[in-house]
Structures are given as structure tokens and as C-alpha cells.
Amino acid sequence: MAMKIIKDVYTEYLSGSVVVTPPASNVEFVAGAAQGGQLLTRYTISAKETARQIFRGGELLKALLERLDAGSSMIYAVRIGDAQKAALVLKAGETDVIRLEAAEPGTWWNSIEVDVTVDGDSRTIEITDPDTEETSAFTGDTNDALVEAIKGGQNLVTAIKLADELPDAVTGENLTGGTDGETLTNGDYIDAIEFSEQFTDVSWVHFVGADSPALWTAIVTSCRNMVENVLGERFALLDLPRLQPVDPDDPTPQEIQDYVDGCITLKDDFADRNAVFFIGEAKFINPDGNEYRGRVTSSCSGKMASVALQKSLLGESPGNIVSLVPEFTRGQQVQLIQANINHLRTQPGIGKIIALSVNAPPAGETYNRIEKLRAVYSAGKQARLAAFPHLGRPNDEGGEGLKLLEEDIKRPLELMVQKGEIDSYELSVESTDEMRLLGEAQVTLSVNSMKAFEVILTK
């Protein structure tokens, strides 16, 4: 049950002017390291080609592609890390005359090739794209002209004039010094967590590689604050540490068991209803057709974003997974289920399926399933949107405004019931004489969300 105080809700305007537009319930915020894209900048991703063009490589790009393969349709992607831009300084003798700097940080930009041709009192600077091998040429008889031409004629590098002397000839020089910032610090993640809070339409967040209890706490604290302050509804997809066996392609049974035990122990004292844990890795295929290993978190998240509200993830099969590394034994699956940790398993004749659909609530918490939490949060969001046009309207001593408010809130909730997104709800809108003087009303919403049946793998 959720109880909120909404100020200034009495109104004298006719009900029916509220247009019910269900908000998106599957917007994801994903942050991680990449080889392209500006740092701490939101990019809206709904297609794999767009993701590749912007981020070019790195863990963030992998996470986006895995999500899109599994069914994600709207992702806010953010690059984080201490990445540096590649650069090349053109010289005239010992004097620096023009600085060419990559448009974005990253190692990809180190492959940009630059040639300078001398033709009397003019210079031609050629810049070659390492992917397409297309060359853009810019000719001028002053450095001012060259810099302006480079700025306006391509988007790979920026140019800065350092001196008046024209540059010397250069053949096959590359930009250098670009880094990806793949090793993320707690500070990088904290910056991303704070950045995510401005996007109130986000349903859940994933900070790729944030796999320590300290970072988990920071993430779920942010989610909890968003919910309690009525800024947005969201929960967190949390990474457990990666399996690091001696032979990555053939972990021993003992290494797998130690890994399972270690993850359960690490999570043992951590409980929050907005937290969803996925354990394990799989082999995926990248855009070049090469296999790589990665966590299953993103793929499972993409599947979660694609299923209808209140539908269980149990038995859903994420896409683009070649094989599981490792495959957990029946006993290990029981351990993970008892610890509320979601994972993938191989089922003969069906393939690779999600073996659980739970969040990580404290003991006794009723919000114990992903699909239930999604449905409850979405109902709360839609109810608040329907109430918003009533804010700031004049008080109605006859109580008619109170009735209109209740009717408008019921509209999206009834639609959710018709669509099977919630089973039922109870709604009351009340105001005491004292609250009426303050222009306040108390809205109490109780949402009943189906709890899916599932087979518990225990003896």
C-alpha cells in the first residue's frame, strides 16, 4: 500500500479533460566504459547500428547490443570513465603550429591518419577515417584557413591554431594518446548514479561492472530516494563479480562452486526490494562475428524490458547467447534460488532460459518479484500523472473536486486491469477539514499484482 500527500488538488473544472497516456514502463539507463561517445552524455538508443556508430566498442556497447538482441526498445546510454582524447600536433620546424584533436575520447581515434602535402605557399591536410578509409582533404595558404576548413568539413577531429607558420610535410602520421578509460573507479560510478537521477522516466538502471556492496548500496539508495520523493519509479540491475577461472573456457567444478559460494556470501547481508541480481556469464557473438564472454545481466534485462507488465521472466529465453559459462549444477541452482539470485540454465528441447524472476527484498517484504514491482510502480506512476492536472486548482467546498480527482485517477488503473497489467486495485481519496484548509488530499492506492507460479528446484 502506498500513501502520498498531494497538495492543492481541489478543482471546479469538469472531469474528462484528462487524457490518459500510459507512461513508458521499459526505459533503461545503462552506464559503462566505451571507445566512443562523449563522457556523461545521454544518448537515446533503440537500434544496434546507432549504438555501434556512437560507442564503437567497449563494455557499454556490448551491454547495449545484448539488450537490443533480447528485446529492449528504449535505452538511455551513458559513457563513463577517465578516457582521454587522441591528438596530433603539426609542426613547422620545432614550432607547434596546428593541433588536431579527436572529437571524442577513446583508443579508436588513435587510428585516424593524417597527411600534409606542401605545394608552394599552400598546404593540403588529408584526414583518413580508419573504418571507411575515406579521406577528406583541406587546402589553404594560411593556418586560419586550414583550421576553419577542417572544422567545417568533417567530424573526426577538431583543429586549433597554435602559430602562423604553415606546417611541414607529414606522411602517414596517426593521432596518439587516446584512451578508453576501461578501468572504472567508484567515483566514475557515483557520477553516473547522480547523473541518472535527472531522468524520471527511467524504470531501471544498470551500471555495468559495479559489483561491490559499496556501489550496490549507492545505487539502491538512489533508487529508493527517487521512489520515496515521488521523482520516479525504478529499480537496479546489479552485477555480481565475474567468474575468473584459470582456464576461462573450461572452469573446474570446484572453481564454479567457489564462485557460487563467494557470490552468495557477498550478497548475504544485502537486501533491498529495488535490487535485482543476475549471476553467471555466457558466450555472445559481436558484430564482427567473433565470440566473446560477458555477464548475462544485460541480456536478461533486455528480455525483462520486452515482456508485458506482470508477466514472469521464468522460462523466458534471451537472444544471441551461444553457450553458458559456466552451467550451474542442480545443487548450485538450488543455492541460487534460495539466495534470490537470478540465473540462466539450459533446458533440453527449450534452450537457455531464465531460471528465476525475483528481486532481493528484506525478509517478510511483499515486493518479492520483478514483475510485481514493475506493475506496482507503473500503477503509481500512472495515478500521479492523472492527478497532476488537478494540482493548483481552487478548493471546492462541496467536495465535487475530490470526486473528480478520484475518477481521473481510476481511468488509467482501469485500463491496466483491462490489459492484465494488474489484477485489481483499491483507491480512496480523502480530506479532513484541516486538510481542506491547507488544500490537501490523501490518496491511498493498493495494487494487487499476481504472483506467478513456479517450480522450486528443491528435494
Side-chain angles (χ1 to χ4, degrees), residues 31-303:
Q35 295 179 357
Q38 299 291 350
L39 295 170
L40 277 184
T41 300
R42 186 197 74 173
Y43 296 91
T44 301
I45 304 295
S46 57
K48 292 193 287 185
E49 185 57 35
T50 304
R52 286 194 291 267
Q53 289 176 354
I54 294 173
F55 298 110
R56 303 183 184 276
E59 291 301 307
L60 177 58
L61 178 60
K62 292 177 183 176
L64 296 175
L65 298 180
E66 291 159 18
R67 276 179 158 80
L68 293 166
D69 277 331
S72 292
S73 58
M74 179 69 72
I75 306 170
Y76 293 167
V78 175
R79 181 186 182 184
I80 57 178
D82 186 24
Q84 303 296 319
K85 291 184 179 182
L88 173 65
V89 175
L90 303 179
K91 294 178 175 292
E94 298 298 321
T95 303
D96 298 341
V97 293
I98 294 178
R99 177 182 172 85
L100 302 177
E101 187 176 271
E104 298 171 359
T107 56
W108 180 87
W109 309 83
N110 292 333
S111 299
I112 295 174
E113 182 180 310
V114 176
D115 296 272
V116 179
T117 303
V118 176
D119 184 13
D121 292 333
S122 69
R123 300 290 187 271
T124 298
I125 298 178
E126 297 180 333
I127 301 170
T128 302
D129 186 317
D131 280 349
T132 64
E133 297 185 356
E134 294 181 357
T135 297
S136 301
F138 308 95
T139 301
D141 54 12
T142 66
N143 286 347
D144 288 319
L146 287 168
V147 166
E148 289 305 312
I150 291 171
K151 286 182 178 179
Q154 48 76 58
N155 55 14
L156 292 176
V157 302
T158 59
I160 303 170
K161 174 188 169 183
L162 304 177
D164 290 329
E165 295 90 340
L166 289 168
D168 297 332
V170 168
T171 302
E173 289 286 338
N174 285 67
L175 274 63
T176 59
T179 63
D180 296 332
E182 291 180 338
T183 303
L184 300 177
T185 66
N186 283 8
D188 295 326
Y189 285 116
I190 296 300
D191 288 343
I193 293 169
E194 293 176 352
F195 185 70
S196 73
E197 294 176 353
Q198 65 185 284
F199 306 110
T200 57
D201 55 342
V202 167
S203 297
W204 54 85
V205 293
H206 180 205
F207 301 90
V208 182
D211 55 12
S212 70
L215 288 173
W216 297 341
T217 300
I219 294 167
V220 298
T221 298
S222 172
C223 292
R224 193 182 309 124
N225 290 340
M226 294 290 288
V227 174
E228 292 178 353
N229 294 322
V230 202
L231 297 174
E233 288 78 18
R234 67 180 57 183
F235 52 94
L237 302 167
L238 302 179
D239 286 331
L240 286 157
R242 299 192 65 175
L243 173 65
Q244 295 181 323
V246 174
D247 182 354
D249 293 323
D250 189 22
T252 67
Q254 188 59 54
E255 286 175 324
I256 298 172
Q257 186 61 58
D258 290 344
Y259 173 63
V260 171
D261 292 340
C263 287
I264 291 175
T265 300
L266 192 64
K267 175 194 169 293
D268 193 43
D269 295 328
F270 186 90
D272 191 283
R273 77 181 190 189
N274 295 306
V276 182
F277 285 94
F278 290 98
I279 191 175
E281 302 190 9
K283 285 188 177 180
F284 299 87
I285 299 178
N286 68 16
D288 296 325
N290 300 317
E291 290 187 3
Y292 68 91
R293 284 180 55 200
R295 292 181 174 95
V296 300
T297 310
S298 293
S299 193
C300 292
S301 170
K303 178 55 66 175

